Amino acid sequence: MVRRDLDRTRLDPYPAEAYPPEGPNVVGPGPEPLVEEEFVDPQSRRARVVRVVCTIINIVCGLFAVVLGLHIIMVLFGANPSNGFASLVDSWSSAVSLGLRGLFTPDNEKLATLLNDGLAALGWLLIAGVLTYAIRQFALPGPGRAAHYRRRVVR
């Protein structure tokens, strides 16, 4: 009988009789202790927290930019301002416009909305990018950090 060595994926040249018998009634030395090795990164928890914080910042700032974009689209296509959804988007967009609502005052209301709210949306995306970059640069360690390995014997 030829046994297959599953770790090395090749045929074992020794017959099955060369191996000691296995089972509960076999007398002899016990099984060899199991050795577990794992990579321990002391900064992994910090990196996970930084990723979560940066994701939250990106989602919030992206949501503000989407609200401003929806307001631009509704104004450009002439949405009914007395509609509940349109008034909700208008009030939210005025809250997150970064004070840029009256920055540009062309004669055309659609162009003014496009310029002012468009600039505010770009501002929110820029704020998200700068914040996440700064957080990652200052909160995460550099490339020269030490790696630790933990080895333990399990009996």
Side-chain angles (χ1 to χ4, degrees):
M1 175 177 189
V2 178
R3 289 176 49 169
R4 185 174 286 276
D5 186 2
L6 297 177
D7 291 335
R8 296 189 186 108
T9 63
R10 63 180 177 172
L11 291 177
D12 191 356
Y14 301 107
E17 295 79 28
Y19 292 100
E22 298 174 2
N25 297 330
V26 176
V27 179
E32 293 184 27
L34 208 62
V35 176
E36 291 182 357
E37 292 184 3
E38 65 178 303
F39 174 71
V40 178
D41 187 8
Q43 303 296 331
S44 65
R45 183 173 182 183
R46 176 186 284 184
R48 187 174 33 242
V49 169
V50 167
R51 278 195 310 268
V52 168
V53 168
C54 290
T55 300
I56 291 170
I57 289 171
N58 284 329
I59 288 173
V60 169
C61 291
L63 181 66
F64 292 166
V66 166
V67 166
L68 289 164
L70 274 174
H71 183 254
I72 292 170
I73 290 171
M74 288 183 174
V75 169
L76 288 179
F77 289 111
N80 182 8
S82 63
N83 183 301
F85 181 70
S87 65
L88 177 73
V89 170
D90 182 44
S91 64
W92 280 7
S93 67
S94 66
V96 296
S97 68
L98 296 174
L100 299 175
R101 274 281 165 101
L103 183 63
F104 298 108
T105 56
D107 294 334
N108 190 352
E109 179 190 348
K110 292 180 181 183
L111 182 61
T113 302
L114 176 66
L115 292 175
N116 295 328
D117 285 355
L119 187 61
L122 289 176
W124 279 113
L125 296 177
L126 182 68
I127 288 169
V130 168
L131 277 177
T132 56
Y133 177 78
I135 289 171
R136 286 187 177 123
Q137 288 298 313
F138 294 119
L140 292 179
R145 66 177 189 227
H148 302 284
Y149 291 92
R150 179 182 302 156
R151 183 176 182 178
R152 66 181 188 172
V153 177
V154 179
R155 297 202 184 251

